[in-house]
Amino acid sequence: DAKTTQPPSMDCAEGRAANLPCNHSTISGNEYVYWYRQIHSQGPQYIIHGLKNNETNEMASLIITEDRKSSTMLLPHATLRDTAVYYCIVRANNAGNMLTFGGGTRLMVKP
Amino acid sequence: SQTIHQWPATLVQPVGSPLSLECTVEGTSNPNLYWYRQAAGRGLQLLFYSVGIGQISSEVPQNLSASRPQDRQFILSSKKLLLSDSGFYLCAWSGLAGGRSYEQYFGPGTRLTVT
């Protein structure tokens, strides 16, 4: 699986949009971009994933560049409960479906 | 709906003692199952995964082992714990029954402290 690069930490004001970037310049054509988050002392939580089109669900939006070498996950109205480590992962959908977690971005939402 | 259970939630064990952590999934069949470990302040490390009963793949050589005696049961074991085995152990499942294929859903985790 391709590796990803994320900033180690970011701050966001409560109620504002949080835009979390991810670089995946070596992504392959069959690899999806997945986002998970981990709130302190809990298991990771799936947020969103996409292949090349932008995606939106009840939690977030995913914007993937046309060349697929980077993406941004957007939380439209961040709350204090969104404080967590956010992981960007690229992975092909195969039989094992394994995830390789990197360091992630620690998002701190401040009042 | 699907749920995943892990127990115990916390565990304190002396060095050299055995370990058995259990994970069960409800509401789905033929799931892929995974064991991850997260050391303090670190990212998640995949330890084992299983695509079916009795089928275990190990990602990292270590003194841990995994077994899948039933379709929705995944067990992590050790005969003799090391201090370095301390960490947060997470079980996860993936499959088509969740409505969105291939995502992994994680359990609440077991926090293991080896003393």
Side-chain angles (χ1 to χ4, degrees), chain A residues 34 36 38 40-47 49 57-58 87 91 93-103, chain B residues 32 34 36 38 42-46 49 51 59 88 90 94-95 100-109 111:
Chain A
Y34 281 79
Y36 283 77
Q38 187 176 22
H40 182 62
S41 295
Q42 297 181 23
Q45 176 189 24
Y46 166 82
I47 300 173
H49 79 283
N57 62 20
E58 64 278 6
Y87 296 98
R91 189 198 73 187
N93 283 340
N94 53 36
N97 296 329
M98 291 163 286
L99 296 172
T100 301
F101 287 81
Chain B
N32 290 345
Y34 312 83
Y36 290 84
Q38 188 172 33
R42 306 288 295 276
L44 280 79
Q45 178 187 39
L46 179 64
Y49 72 94
V51 298
E59 290 296 298
F88 190 40
L90 289 153
S94 71
R100 294 178 295 189
S101 61
Y102 305 119
E103 297 85 66
Q104 287 188 18
Y105 299 93
F106 286 79
R111 191 162 299 281

